[in-house]
Amino acid sequence: MGSDPVVREVIGPAELALVDAVHDALDQIWRDAPGVTDEDRMLFALAVSEVATNVVEHAAGDERPTVSIRLSADDTELVAVMSDDADPALIRLDQVTMPGADAESGRGLALALAALDELRHETDDGNVWILRRERRPSA
């Protein structure tokens, strides 16, 4: 049986400072979850950063939305669950593509899709993003 998952949570208003706090939480996870490969760290962190930045930049509502991010690492996978109380985002992940080389934005979700084994977006009272990357074996 494997070890207990390493979990960190970040909660705050949809502001860019939240993305910095997520990076700090990921750094803590990497210290406390030995054996995560550099590739898994880099690609998962990229995906989490891109989605968190999109959530912060595009969260809409009558008041500044609150975002809750739960990050976890266990022996088999890395998971992030991001929830907010913003207006539901109208996103079709099955239609996300990488923009052209001259585009100045629009790569975040395409990069996240490429880096993850699963990216889901659910709406109800706000938005929930589920990001999952299976851990690859060490070389």
Side-chain angles (χ1 to χ4, degrees):
M1 181 165 193
S3 60
D4 291 333
V6 176
V7 177
R8 297 291 179 273
E9 292 191 32
V10 177
I11 300 172
E15 298 174 350
L16 287 177
L18 184 77
V19 178
D20 291 335
V22 169
H23 286 285
D24 292 342
L26 284 169
D27 287 343
Q28 293 172 6
I29 284 181
W30 305 146
R31 281 193 300 272
D32 297 338
V36 179
T37 67
D38 289 343
E39 179 182 22
D40 284 341
R41 289 178 188 205
M42 180 188 69
L43 292 174
F44 185 70
L46 172 67
V48 168
S49 180
E50 292 292 342
V51 174
T53 300
N54 277 355
V55 167
V56 165
E57 289 180 349
H58 300 292
D62 293 335
E63 298 179 19
R64 174 148 323 266
T66 298
V67 182
S68 172
I69 302 173
R70 183 180 191 276
L71 305 163
S72 65
D74 65 21
D75 293 339
T76 62
E77 65 184 6
L78 307 170
V79 177
V81 178
M82 300 183 196
S83 305
D84 66 52
D85 56 4
D87 294 340
L90 303 175
I91 300 288
R92 295 272 323 259
L93 291 174
D94 61 336
Q95 295 181 354
V96 171
T97 59
M98 187 64 74
D102 58 340
E104 294 184 18
S105 64
R107 289 180 179 78
L109 290 178
L111 288 170
L113 282 165
L116 298 169
D117 293 295
E118 177 183 18
L119 175 60
R120 284 193 338 247
H121 174 248
E122 301 170 355
T123 60
D124 191 10
D125 291 331
N127 299 278
V128 177
W129 295 87
I130 298 113
L131 297 75
R132 188 179 61 79
R133 179 173 171 85
E134 295 174 11
R135 289 179 58 174
R136 288 10 180 218
S138 299

